[in-house]
PDB file of all heavy atoms in Angstrom:
ATOM      1  N   VAL H   1      -9.058 -10.857   3.176  1.00 52.00           N
ATOM      2  CA  VAL H   1      -9.569 -10.447   4.529  1.00 52.00           C
ATOM      3  C   VAL H   1      -9.145 -11.527   5.472  1.00 52.00           C
ATOM      4  O   VAL H   1      -9.232 -12.695   5.230  1.00 52.00           O
ATOM      5  CB  VAL H   1     -11.100 -10.390   4.529  1.00 52.00           C
ATOM      6  CG1 VAL H   1     -11.567 -10.075   5.975  1.00 52.00           C
ATOM      7  CG2 VAL H   1     -11.578  -9.373   3.488  1.00 52.00           C
ATOM      8  N   THR H   2      -8.473 -11.135   6.549  1.00 53.00           N
ATOM      9  CA  THR H   2      -7.978 -12.043   7.511  1.00 53.00           C
ATOM     10  C   THR H   2      -8.536 -11.812   8.915  1.00 53.00           C
ATOM     11  O   THR H   2      -9.094 -10.736   9.169  1.00 53.00           O
ATOM     12  CB  THR H   2      -6.446 -11.958   7.607  1.00 53.00           C
ATOM     13  OG1 THR H   2      -6.098 -10.614   8.198  1.00 53.00           O
ATOM     14  CG2 THR H   2      -5.770 -12.133   6.286  1.00 53.00           C
ATOM     15  N   ASN H   3      -8.417 -12.771   9.759  1.00 52.00           N
ATOM     16  CA  ASN H   3      -8.851 -12.675  11.166  1.00 52.00           C
ATOM     17  C   ASN H   3      -7.757 -13.164  12.033  1.00 52.00           C
ATOM     18  O   ASN H   3      -7.916 -14.090  12.732  1.00 52.00           O
ATOM     19  CB  ASN H   3     -10.182 -13.432  11.388  1.00 52.00           C
ATOM     20  CG  ASN H   3     -10.829 -13.039  12.675  1.00 52.00           C
ATOM     21  OD1 ASN H   3     -10.440 -12.095  13.241  1.00 52.00           O
ATOM     22  ND2 ASN H   3     -11.792 -13.793  13.108  1.00 52.00           N
ATOM     23  N   TRP H   4      -6.647 -12.473  11.938  1.00 55.00           N
ATOM     24  CA  TRP H   4      -5.461 -12.923  12.751  1.00 55.00           C
ATOM     25  C   TRP H   4      -5.636 -12.683  14.232  1.00 55.00           C
ATOM     26  O   TRP H   4      -5.213 -13.491  15.019  1.00 55.00           O
ATOM     27  CB  TRP H   4      -4.207 -12.131  12.291  1.00 55.00           C
ATOM     28  CG  TRP H   4      -3.784 -12.514  10.921  1.00 55.00           C
ATOM     29  CD1 TRP H   4      -3.938 -11.797   9.803  1.00 55.00           C
ATOM     30  CD2 TRP H   4      -3.093 -13.639  10.534  1.00 55.00           C
ATOM     31  NE1 TRP H   4      -3.402 -12.412   8.768  1.00 55.00           N
ATOM     32  CE2 TRP H   4      -2.894 -13.643   9.189  1.00 55.00           C
ATOM     33  CE3 TRP H   4      -2.664 -14.790  11.193  1.00 55.00           C
ATOM     34  CZ2 TRP H   4      -2.252 -14.611   8.426  1.00 55.00           C
ATOM     35  CZ3 TRP H   4      -2.016 -15.812  10.501  1.00 55.00           C
ATOM     36  CH2 TRP H   4      -1.857 -15.694   9.148  1.00 55.00           C
ATOM     37  N   ASP H   5      -6.327 -11.610  14.660  1.00 56.00           N
ATOM     38  CA  ASP H   5      -6.445 -11.311  16.029  1.00 56.00           C
ATOM     39  C   ASP H   5      -7.868 -10.841  16.358  1.00 56.00           C
ATOM     40  O   ASP H   5      -8.214  -9.711  15.978  1.00 56.00           O
ATOM     41  CB  ASP H   5      -5.456 -10.219  16.435  1.00 56.00           C
ATOM     42  CG  ASP H   5      -5.392 -10.026  17.954  1.00 56.00           C
ATOM     43  OD1 ASP H   5      -6.258 -10.498  18.643  1.00 56.00           O
ATOM     44  OD2 ASP H   5      -4.455  -9.334  18.425  1.00 56.00           O
ATOM     45  N   PRO H   6      -8.686 -11.645  16.962  1.00 57.00           N
ATOM     46  CA  PRO H   6     -10.094 -11.321  17.191  1.00 57.00           C
ATOM     47  C   PRO H   6     -10.250  -9.991  17.985  1.00 57.00           C
ATOM     48  O   PRO H   6     -11.201  -9.312  17.884  1.00 57.00           O
ATOM     49  CB  PRO H   6     -10.625 -12.447  17.929  1.00 57.00           C
ATOM     50  CG  PRO H   6      -9.803 -13.663  17.618  1.00 57.00           C
ATOM     51  CD  PRO H   6      -8.405 -13.028  17.405  1.00 57.00           C
ATOM     52  N   SER H   7      -9.263  -9.677  18.889  1.00 60.00           N
ATOM     53  CA  SER H   7      -9.400  -8.490  19.670  1.00 60.00           C
ATOM     54  C   SER H   7      -9.211  -7.233  18.822  1.00 60.00           C
ATOM     55  O   SER H   7      -9.605  -6.097  19.235  1.00 60.00           O
ATOM     56  CB  SER H   7      -8.414  -8.491  20.822  1.00 60.00           C
ATOM     57  OG  SER H   7      -7.059  -8.436  20.263  1.00 60.00           O
ATOM     58  N   HIS H   8      -8.583  -7.308  17.657  1.00 56.00           N
ATOM     59  CA  HIS H   8      -8.323  -6.188  16.834  1.00 56.00           C
ATOM     60  C   HIS H   8      -9.217  -6.193  15.579  1.00 56.00           C
ATOM     61  O   HIS H   8      -9.233  -5.264  14.768  1.00 56.00           O
ATOM     62  CB  HIS H   8      -6.926  -6.132  16.354  1.00 56.00           C
ATOM     63  CG  HIS H   8      -5.927  -5.805  17.389  1.00 56.00           C
ATOM     64  ND1 HIS H   8      -5.654  -6.671  18.439  1.00 56.00           N
ATOM     65  CD2 HIS H   8      -5.188  -4.681  17.663  1.00 56.00           C
ATOM     66  CE1 HIS H   8      -4.778  -6.119  19.268  1.00 56.00           C
ATOM     67  NE2 HIS H   8      -4.512  -4.927  18.753  1.00 56.00           N
ATOM     68  N   GLY H   9      -9.982  -7.286  15.378  1.00 55.00           N
ATOM     69  CA  GLY H   9     -10.910  -7.356  14.164  1.00 55.00           C
ATOM     70  C   GLY H   9     -10.186  -7.891  12.996  1.00 55.00           C
ATOM     71  O   GLY H   9      -9.087  -8.377  13.090  1.00 55.00           O
ATOM     72  N   ASN H  10     -10.797  -7.750  11.868  1.00 54.00           N
ATOM     73  CA  ASN H  10     -10.247  -8.307  10.562  1.00 54.00           C
ATOM     74  C   ASN H  10      -9.297  -7.210  10.025  1.00 54.00           C
ATOM     75  O   ASN H  10      -9.440  -6.039  10.189  1.00 54.00           O
ATOM     76  CB  ASN H  10     -11.364  -8.578   9.602  1.00 54.00           C
ATOM     77  CG  ASN H  10     -12.165  -9.720   9.975  1.00 54.00           C
ATOM     78  OD1 ASN H  10     -11.633 -10.660  10.659  1.00 54.00           O
ATOM     79  ND2 ASN H  10     -13.387  -9.788   9.527  1.00 54.00           N
ATOM     80  N   TYR H  11      -8.353  -7.687   9.276  1.00 54.00           N
ATOM     81  CA  TYR H  11      -7.427  -6.880   8.518  1.00 54.00           C
ATOM     82  C   TYR H  11      -7.801  -7.059   7.019  1.00 54.00           C
ATOM     83  O   TYR H  11      -8.050  -8.216   6.553  1.00 54.00           O
ATOM     84  CB  TYR H  11      -5.956  -7.251   8.669  1.00 54.00           C
ATOM     85  CG  TYR H  11      -5.507  -7.123  10.148  1.00 54.00           C
ATOM     86  CD1 TYR H  11      -5.361  -8.215  10.892  1.00 54.00           C
ATOM     87  CD2 TYR H  11      -5.104  -5.888  10.540  1.00 54.00           C
ATOM     88  CE1 TYR H  11      -4.949  -8.042  12.251  1.00 54.00           C
ATOM     89  CE2 TYR H  11      -4.648  -5.674  11.844  1.00 54.00           C
ATOM     90  CZ  TYR H  11      -4.538  -6.772  12.640  1.00 54.00           C
ATOM     91  OH  TYR H  11      -4.093  -6.598  13.893  1.00 54.00           O
ATOM     92  N   VAL H  12      -7.824  -5.971   6.247  1.00 54.00           N
ATOM     93  CA  VAL H  12      -8.123  -6.081   4.810  1.00 54.00           C
ATOM     94  C   VAL H  12      -6.948  -5.535   4.090  1.00 54.00           C
ATOM     95  O   VAL H  12      -6.367  -4.412   4.402  1.00 54.00           O
ATOM     96  CB  VAL H  12      -9.362  -5.217   4.504  1.00 54.00           C
ATOM     97  CG1 VAL H  12      -9.677  -5.253   2.968  1.00 54.00           C
ATOM     98  CG2 VAL H  12     -10.535  -5.734   5.223  1.00 54.00           C
ATOM     99  N   PHE H  13      -6.430  -6.317   3.106  1.00 54.00           N
ATOM    100  CA  PHE H  13      -5.342  -5.827   2.283  1.00 54.00           C
ATOM    101  C   PHE H  13      -5.730  -5.823   0.842  1.00 54.00           C
ATOM    102  O   PHE H  13      -6.348  -6.790   0.381  1.00 54.00           O
ATOM    103  CB  PHE H  13      -4.168  -6.911   2.428  1.00 54.00           C
ATOM    104  CG  PHE H  13      -3.650  -7.053   3.863  1.00 54.00           C
ATOM    105  CD1 PHE H  13      -4.134  -8.013   4.647  1.00 54.00           C
ATOM    106  CD2 PHE H  13      -2.829  -6.091   4.368  1.00 54.00           C
ATOM    107  CE1 PHE H  13      -3.702  -8.197   5.980  1.00 54.00           C
ATOM    108  CE2 PHE H  13      -2.336  -6.227   5.665  1.00 54.00           C
ATOM    109  CZ  PHE H  13      -2.855  -7.228   6.475  1.00 54.00           C
ATOM    110  N   LEU H  14      -5.414  -4.747   0.167  1.00 51.00           N
ATOM    111  CA  LEU H  14      -5.772  -4.562  -1.258  1.00 51.00           C
ATOM    112  C   LEU H  14      -4.511  -4.396  -2.003  1.00 51.00           C
ATOM    113  O   LEU H  14      -3.637  -3.594  -1.764  1.00 51.00           O
ATOM    114  CB  LEU H  14      -6.681  -3.314  -1.389  1.00 51.00           C
ATOM    115  CG  LEU H  14      -7.092  -2.979  -2.812  1.00 51.00           C
ATOM    116  CD1 LEU H  14      -7.944  -4.095  -3.430  1.00 51.00           C
ATOM    117  CD2 LEU H  14      -7.885  -1.668  -2.831  1.00 51.00           C
ATOM    118  N   ASN H  15      -4.381  -5.221  -3.081  1.00 50.00           N
ATOM    119  CA  ASN H  15      -3.238  -5.117  -3.952  1.00 50.00           C
ATOM    120  C   ASN H  15      -3.446  -3.863  -4.849  1.00 50.00           C
ATOM    121  O   ASN H  15      -4.382  -3.853  -5.633  1.00 50.00           O
ATOM    122  CB  ASN H  15      -3.151  -6.412  -4.810  1.00 50.00           C
ATOM    123  CG  ASN H  15      -2.022  -6.416  -5.768  1.00 50.00           C
ATOM    124  OD1 ASN H  15      -1.268  -5.402  -5.873  1.00 50.00           O
ATOM    125  ND2 ASN H  15      -1.750  -7.472  -6.451  1.00 50.00           N
ATOM    126  N   THR H  16      -2.594  -2.931  -4.712  1.00 49.00           N
ATOM    127  CA  THR H  16      -2.809  -1.651  -5.458  1.00 49.00           C
ATOM    128  C   THR H  16      -1.743  -1.554  -6.579  1.00 49.00           C
ATOM    129  O   THR H  16      -1.535  -0.429  -7.085  1.00 49.00           O
ATOM    130  CB  THR H  16      -2.578  -0.463  -4.532  1.00 49.00           C
ATOM    131  OG1 THR H  16      -1.384  -0.524  -3.876  1.00 49.00           O
ATOM    132  CG2 THR H  16      -3.724  -0.469  -3.473  1.00 49.00           C
ATOM    133  N   THR H  17      -1.160  -2.654  -6.993  1.00 48.00           N
ATOM    134  CA  THR H  17      -0.224  -2.562  -8.141  1.00 48.00           C
ATOM    135  C   THR H  17      -0.979  -2.212  -9.375  1.00 48.00           C
ATOM    136  O   THR H  17      -2.188  -2.481  -9.497  1.00 48.00           O
ATOM    137  CB  THR H  17       0.569  -3.937  -8.282  1.00 48.00           C
ATOM    138  OG1 THR H  17      -0.345  -4.947  -8.453  1.00 48.00           O
ATOM    139  CG2 THR H  17       1.498  -4.165  -7.084  1.00 48.00           C
ATOM    140  N   ALA H  18      -0.217  -1.761 -10.417  1.00 45.00           N
ATOM    141  CA  ALA H  18      -0.892  -1.347 -11.644  1.00 45.00           C
ATOM    142  C   ALA H  18      -1.590  -2.482 -12.366  1.00 45.00           C
ATOM    143  O   ALA H  18      -2.658  -2.285 -12.919  1.00 45.00           O
ATOM    144  CB  ALA H  18       0.183  -0.738 -12.535  1.00 45.00           C
ATOM    145  N   ALA H  19      -0.967  -3.617 -12.356  1.00 45.00           N
ATOM    146  CA  ALA H  19      -1.590  -4.807 -13.010  1.00 45.00           C
ATOM    147  C   ALA H  19      -2.069  -5.820 -11.912  1.00 45.00           C
ATOM    148  O   ALA H  19      -1.388  -6.100 -10.943  1.00 45.00           O
ATOM    149  CB  ALA H  19      -0.552  -5.507 -13.912  1.00 45.00           C
ATOM    150  N   GLY H  20      -3.190  -6.267 -12.093  1.00 45.00           N
ATOM    151  CA  GLY H  20      -3.789  -7.296 -11.132  1.00 45.00           C
ATOM    152  C   GLY H  20      -3.100  -8.601 -11.270  1.00 45.00           C
ATOM    153  O   GLY H  20      -2.283  -8.796 -12.243  1.00 45.00           O
ATOM    154  N   VAL H  21      -3.412  -9.546 -10.414  1.00 46.00           N
ATOM    155  CA  VAL H  21      -2.752 -10.860 -10.476  1.00 46.00           C
ATOM    156  C   VAL H  21      -3.019 -11.565 -11.799  1.00 46.00           C
ATOM    157  O   VAL H  21      -2.102 -12.179 -12.343  1.00 46.00           O
ATOM    158  CB  VAL H  21      -3.266 -11.697  -9.300  1.00 46.00           C
ATOM    159  CG1 VAL H  21      -2.756 -13.158  -9.359  1.00 46.00           C
ATOM    160  CG2 VAL H  21      -2.806 -11.071  -7.987  1.00 46.00           C
ATOM    161  N   ALA H  22      -4.259 -11.481 -12.354  1.00 46.00           N
ATOM    162  CA  ALA H  22      -4.588 -12.172 -13.591  1.00 46.00           C
ATOM    163  C   ALA H  22      -3.769 -11.581 -14.663  1.00 46.00           C
ATOM    164  O   ALA H  22      -3.274 -12.339 -15.558  1.00 46.00           O
ATOM    165  CB  ALA H  22      -6.068 -12.015 -13.849  1.00 46.00           C
ATOM    166  N   ALA H  23      -3.580 -10.310 -14.782  1.00 45.00           N
ATOM    167  CA  ALA H  23      -2.770  -9.740 -15.845  1.00 45.00           C
ATOM    168  C   ALA H  23      -1.312 -10.160 -15.793  1.00 45.00           C
ATOM    169  O   ALA H  23      -0.602 -10.360 -16.731  1.00 45.00           O
ATOM    170  CB  ALA H  23      -2.967  -8.194 -15.837  1.00 45.00           C
ATOM    171  N   GLN H  24      -0.840 -10.167 -14.526  1.00 44.00           N
ATOM    172  CA  GLN H  24       0.551 -10.554 -14.365  1.00 44.00           C
ATOM    173  C   GLN H  24       0.868 -11.980 -14.745  1.00 44.00           C
ATOM    174  O   GLN H  24       1.870 -12.203 -15.299  1.00 44.00           O
ATOM    175  CB  GLN H  24       0.987 -10.368 -12.882  1.00 44.00           C
ATOM    176  CG  GLN H  24       1.112  -8.875 -12.460  1.00 44.00           C
ATOM    177  CD  GLN H  24       1.466  -8.712 -11.054  1.00 44.00           C
ATOM    178  OE1 GLN H  24       1.659  -9.738 -10.309  1.00 44.00           O
ATOM    179  NE2 GLN H  24       1.592  -7.496 -10.601  1.00 44.00           N
ATOM    180  N   ARG H  25      -0.093 -12.950 -14.488  1.00 43.00           N
ATOM    181  CA  ARG H  25       0.087 -14.308 -14.852  1.00 43.00           C
ATOM    182  C   ARG H  25       0.286 -14.482 -16.360  1.00 43.00           C
ATOM    183  O   ARG H  25       1.005 -15.330 -16.773  1.00 43.00           O
ATOM    184  CB  ARG H  25      -1.058 -15.169 -14.338  1.00 43.00           C
ATOM    185  CG  ARG H  25      -0.983 -15.416 -12.949  1.00 43.00           C
ATOM    186  CD  ARG H  25      -1.978 -16.476 -12.474  1.00 43.00           C
ATOM    187  NE  ARG H  25      -1.828 -16.671 -11.037  1.00 43.00           N
ATOM    188  CZ  ARG H  25      -2.811 -16.983 -10.259  1.00 43.00           C
ATOM    189  NH1 ARG H  25      -4.010 -17.114 -10.811  1.00 43.00           N
ATOM    190  NH2 ARG H  25      -2.660 -17.177  -8.987  1.00 43.00           N
ATOM    191  N   GLU H  26      -0.379 -13.673 -17.179  1.00 42.00           N
ATOM    192  CA  GLU H  26      -0.316 -13.768 -18.603  1.00 42.00           C
ATOM    193  C   GLU H  26       1.128 -13.443 -19.060  1.00 42.00           C
ATOM    194  O   GLU H  26       1.597 -13.947 -20.078  1.00 42.00           O
ATOM    195  CB  GLU H  26      -1.300 -12.879 -19.257  1.00 42.00           C
ATOM    196  CG  GLU H  26      -2.713 -13.332 -19.001  1.00 42.00           C
ATOM    197  CD  GLU H  26      -3.727 -12.330 -19.643  1.00 42.00           C
ATOM    198  OE1 GLU H  26      -3.308 -11.374 -20.310  1.00 42.00           O
ATOM    199  OE2 GLU H  26      -4.883 -12.516 -19.414  1.00 42.00           O
ATOM    200  N   LYS H  27       1.811 -12.581 -18.352  1.00 42.00           N
ATOM    201  CA  LYS H  27       3.165 -12.112 -18.785  1.00 42.00           C
ATOM    202  C   LYS H  27       4.201 -13.126 -18.358  1.00 42.00           C
ATOM    203  O   LYS H  27       5.325 -13.077 -18.838  1.00 42.00           O
ATOM    204  CB  LYS H  27       3.452 -10.774 -18.152  1.00 42.00           C
ATOM    205  CG  LYS H  27       2.667  -9.611 -18.721  1.00 42.00           C
ATOM    206  CD  LYS H  27       3.210  -8.285 -18.255  1.00 42.00           C
ATOM    207  CE  LYS H  27       2.646  -7.930 -16.972  1.00 42.00           C
ATOM    208  NZ  LYS H  27       3.056  -6.632 -16.452  1.00 42.00           N
ATOM    209  N   LEU H  28       3.925 -13.998 -17.396  1.00 39.00           N
ATOM    210  CA  LEU H  28       4.929 -14.922 -16.850  1.00 39.00           C
ATOM    211  C   LEU H  28       5.190 -16.050 -17.813  1.00 39.00           C
ATOM    212  O   LEU H  28       4.324 -16.938 -17.958  1.00 39.00           O
ATOM    213  CB  LEU H  28       4.492 -15.466 -15.479  1.00 39.00           C
ATOM    214  CG  LEU H  28       4.203 -14.366 -14.455  1.00 39.00           C
ATOM    215  CD1 LEU H  28       3.774 -15.096 -13.188  1.00 39.00           C
ATOM    216  CD2 LEU H  28       5.387 -13.523 -14.202  1.00 39.00           C
ATOM    217  N   GLU H  29       6.311 -15.999 -18.475  1.00 42.00           N
ATOM    218  CA  GLU H  29       6.650 -17.077 -19.437  1.00 42.00           C
ATOM    219  C   GLU H  29       7.669 -18.004 -18.856  1.00 42.00           C
ATOM    220  O   GLU H  29       7.605 -19.249 -19.213  1.00 42.00           O
ATOM    221  CB  GLU H  29       7.181 -16.440 -20.733  1.00 42.00           C
ATOM    222  CG  GLU H  29       6.166 -15.554 -21.391  1.00 42.00           C
ATOM    223  CD  GLU H  29       6.765 -14.798 -22.595  1.00 42.00           C
ATOM    224  OE1 GLU H  29       7.976 -15.000 -22.799  1.00 42.00           O
ATOM    225  OE2 GLU H  29       6.078 -14.065 -23.243  1.00 42.00           O
ATOM    226  N   THR H  30       8.525 -17.541 -18.047  1.00 53.00           N
ATOM    227  CA  THR H  30       9.651 -18.417 -17.534  1.00 53.00           C
ATOM    228  C   THR H  30       9.435 -19.049 -16.221  1.00 53.00           C
ATOM    229  O   THR H  30      10.110 -19.970 -15.798  1.00 53.00           O
ATOM    230  CB  THR H  30      10.972 -17.553 -17.539  1.00 53.00           C
ATOM    231  OG1 THR H  30      10.778 -16.466 -16.747  1.00 53.00           O
ATOM    232  CG2 THR H  30      11.375 -17.186 -18.933  1.00 53.00           C
ATOM    233  N   GLY H  31       8.443 -18.489 -15.425  1.00 67.00           N
ATOM    234  CA  GLY H  31       8.223 -19.104 -14.164  1.00 67.00           C
ATOM    235  C   GLY H  31       7.048 -18.414 -13.412  1.00 67.00           C
ATOM    236  O   GLY H  31       6.582 -17.325 -13.763  1.00 67.00           O
ATOM    237  N   ARG H  32       6.625 -19.079 -12.417  1.00 77.00           N
ATOM    238  CA  ARG H  32       5.515 -18.562 -11.583  1.00 77.00           C
ATOM    239  C   ARG H  32       5.771 -18.809 -10.054  1.00 77.00           C
ATOM    240  O   ARG H  32       6.386 -19.814  -9.726  1.00 77.00           O
ATOM    241  CB  ARG H  32       4.215 -19.284 -11.926  1.00 77.00           C
ATOM    242  CG  ARG H  32       3.004 -18.637 -11.212  1.00 77.00           C
ATOM    243  CD  ARG H  32       1.719 -19.392 -11.637  1.00 77.00           C
ATOM    244  NE  ARG H  32       1.775 -20.686 -11.086  1.00 77.00           N
ATOM    245  CZ  ARG H  32       1.218 -21.759 -11.653  1.00 77.00           C
ATOM    246  NH1 ARG H  32       0.570 -21.612 -12.746  1.00 77.00           N
ATOM    247  NH2 ARG H  32       1.287 -22.979 -11.066  1.00 77.00           N
ATOM    248  N   LEU H  33       5.466 -17.827  -9.300  1.00 82.00           N
ATOM    249  CA  LEU H  33       5.704 -17.861  -7.897  1.00 82.00           C
ATOM    250  C   LEU H  33       4.440 -17.609  -7.127  1.00 82.00           C
ATOM    251  O   LEU H  33       3.653 -16.729  -7.458  1.00 82.00           O
ATOM    252  CB  LEU H  33       6.771 -16.751  -7.575  1.00 82.00           C
ATOM    253  CG  LEU H  33       7.309 -16.640  -6.167  1.00 82.00           C
ATOM    254  CD1 LEU H  33       8.117 -17.921  -5.836  1.00 82.00           C
ATOM    255  CD2 LEU H  33       8.241 -15.398  -6.106  1.00 82.00           C
ATOM    256  N   THR H  34       4.086 -18.479  -6.165  1.00 86.00           N
ATOM    257  CA  THR H  34       2.863 -18.275  -5.402  1.00 86.00           C
ATOM    258  C   THR H  34       3.246 -18.458  -3.949  1.00 86.00           C
ATOM    259  O   THR H  34       4.308 -19.083  -3.594  1.00 86.00           O
ATOM    260  CB  THR H  34       1.769 -19.319  -5.732  1.00 86.00           C
ATOM    261  OG1 THR H  34       2.302 -20.668  -5.628  1.00 86.00           O
ATOM    262  CG2 THR H  34       1.234 -19.015  -7.137  1.00 86.00           C
ATOM    263  N   ALA H  35       2.446 -17.941  -2.974  1.00 88.00           N
ATOM    264  CA  ALA H  35       2.782 -18.009  -1.565  1.00 88.00           C
ATOM    265  C   ALA H  35       1.525 -18.400  -0.753  1.00 88.00           C
ATOM    266  O   ALA H  35       0.419 -18.007  -1.130  1.00 88.00           O
ATOM    267  CB  ALA H  35       3.300 -16.619  -1.097  1.00 88.00           C
TER     268      ALA H  35
END
């Protein structure tokens, strides 16, 4: 949930990929990328 622009309210983003972040981390053997 972000509050980038008070005049527009909050933005909500939902990761809709098949595997969640936790499940993806278990598969990462050679590297990890975060932002």
Side-chain angles (χ1 to χ4, degrees):
V1 178
T2 64
N3 193 11
W4 290 104
D5 188 348
S7 67
H8 291 69
N10 290 333
Y11 296 100
V12 178
F13 301 96
L14 177 62
N15 182 353
T16 58
T17 56
V21 173
Q24 288 179 359
R25 282 190 179 148
E26 292 174 6
K27 291 191 272 182
L28 304 179
E29 297 172 358
T30 56
R32 186 178 68 213
L33 187 62
T34 54

